[in-house]
Amino acid sequence: MDYKIINSPEGFEQAIKENKAVLFYFSTLSCSVGETLQSKVIDLLKTDYPNIPFYFVDMQFNAALSASCNVFVEPTVLVYFHGKESIRKSRNFGMSELANAIHRLYQFTFSD
């Protein structure tokens, strides 16, 4: 799964508008915990939720965007469904916790 990097508030808003669901991963490149969790989140999406794109937001270079989203700790995951923030997980969370939070909304959004 390829992921994209968000470099501006406009890019953030565009990602929300262009996707039924989207996951934003807020961290810095110097956060070892964030780096480890990032690969696990990408694997989770690739395996179980392939219709949700992954976007990385580097908090060090996007402080204003992070603050406007009330993200002050790393790593933080924000998941939007239908343009609205639906899931927020910060710092200490497990993959099963995140997967359980996504599951129901994902089925509702992408069931045919």
Side-chain angles (χ1 to χ4, degrees):
M1 163 184 277
D2 292 331
Y3 73 87
K4 298 174 184 142
I5 298 172
I6 294 292
N7 291 315
S8 67
E10 295 81 17
F12 184 83
E13 292 299 324
Q14 184 177 357
I16 293 170
K17 288 178 185 173
E18 290 178 351
N19 297 285
K20 287 182 182 180
V22 60
L23 183 143
F24 296 101
Y25 190 86
F26 289 78
S27 189
T28 63
L29 298 176
S30 61
C31 177
S32 60
V33 173
E35 197 174 321
T36 302
L37 274 176
Q38 179 178 334
S39 62
K40 291 179 181 182
V41 171
I42 289 171
D43 288 344
L44 174 70
L45 293 181
K46 187 184 339 180
T47 304
D48 297 337
Y49 307 108
N51 292 321
I52 300 178
F54 180 98
Y55 287 86
F56 178 79
V57 180
D58 189 330
M59 295 172 67
Q60 184 175 357
F61 298 108
N62 292 288
L65 174 59
S66 299
S68 71
C69 293
N70 293 317
V71 174
F72 302 104
V73 297
E74 59 181 301
T76 294
V77 170
L78 301 182
V79 185
Y80 282 70
F81 282 91
H82 302 287
K84 298 195 187 293
E85 182 184 324
S86 303
I87 300 165
R88 177 182 289 255
K89 301 287 180 190
S90 294
R91 198 170 287 184
N92 298 322
F93 60 91
M95 288 303 99
S96 61
E97 179 184 353
L98 180 59
N100 289 337
I102 293 173
H103 184 75
R104 191 178 118 260
L105 292 167
Y106 186 87
Q107 283 189 320
F108 177 73
T109 301
F110 295 105
S111 65
D112 290 332

